[in-house]
Amino acid sequence: MSLSSVTAFLAETAPDLHVIVLDESTATVAMAAAAHGVAPAQIAKTLALRAGEEVILIVTGGEARLDNKKFKAQFGTKARMLDLADVETETSHPVGGVCPFGLPRPIAVYCDVSLRAFDIVVPAAGAINAAVRISPERMAEITGATWIDVAAAS
C-alpha cells in the first residue's frame, strides 16, 4: 500500500514528479546515496517522532543529526523516536522507506533547514527501494511542511 499511496499522492499533487524504483535496497543513507549518485547529505531522511503525544515527521539532510536542545526549544518536549512497530502503523511506510508523502492521515511535517543546502534532495518514496528527486522547497510546499532548525551543526 505504501508505494502506491506515494504514487497516488504525487500523481495528484505533483504529476511531473515520478517515483524511481530500483532493484536494490536504498534503506540506509549510504545505500541510497550510492544508488542515486548523490552525496549522502542530499538524501532527505524522514524521522518519525513523538513530540508529547503528537506524531510528527521531520525531514533532514542525510548526514544531519537531531539536536536535542534545538528540538526541545522548538517543541517544548524531548524528542522520542517512534518504536519500529509504530512507524509503519502511523505512516504506512516501512522503516527505510518513510517519507512525508502518501500518509494515511494528516501528520505534521517539518523540514530542517539542512535540506536548503541543495537544489535537489532524494527522499524515500514509501518503499525500501523507491525514491523521488525533488527540490527541498517543493517538497515542503506539497507536503505542507514547516521549516525548522533542529539539526546539530556539523
Side-chain angles (χ1 to χ4, degrees):
M1 175 200 161
S2 187
L3 178 57
S4 62
S5 70
V6 171
T7 303
F9 173 84
L10 292 175
E12 183 176 317
T13 60
D16 57 309
L17 297 176
H18 301 286
V19 174
I20 303 161
V21 179
L22 302 175
D23 291 333
E24 70 264 26
S25 174
T26 55
T28 68
V29 169
M31 294 164 76
H36 292 285
V38 298
Q42 281 182 270
I43 299 303
K45 68 181 176 184
T46 302
L47 306 173
L49 304 147
R50 287 196 192 280
E53 295 305 312
E54 182 184 9
V55 172
I56 64 171
L57 299 179
I58 298 179
V59 187
T60 71
E63 294 181 321
R65 300 286 174 256
L66 203 58
D67 181 310
N68 290 320
K69 288 182 181 178
K70 287 182 178 182
F71 185 95
K72 189 167 186 173
Q74 177 74 43
F75 295 102
T77 188
K78 182 179 178 180
R80 292 181 302 156
M81 298 293 289
L82 288 185
D83 292 333
L84 293 179
D86 292 337
V87 171
E88 194 162 355
T89 300
E90 295 289 346
T91 68
S92 81
H93 307 316
V95 172
V98 178
C99 64
F101 316 118
L103 301 168
R105 62 177 178 78
I107 297 175
V109 176
Y110 299 89
C111 287
D112 185 76
V113 295
S114 59
L115 297 168
R116 286 186 161 154
F118 304 99
D119 293 333
I120 297 293
V121 294
V122 184
I128 63 167
N129 64 333
V132 64
R133 289 178 176 265
I134 189 170
S135 75
E137 296 297 331
R138 181 111 184 264
M139 179 172 56
E141 177 187 321
I142 68 174
T143 62
T146 301
W147 285 101
I148 59 174
D149 181 2
V150 292
S154 47

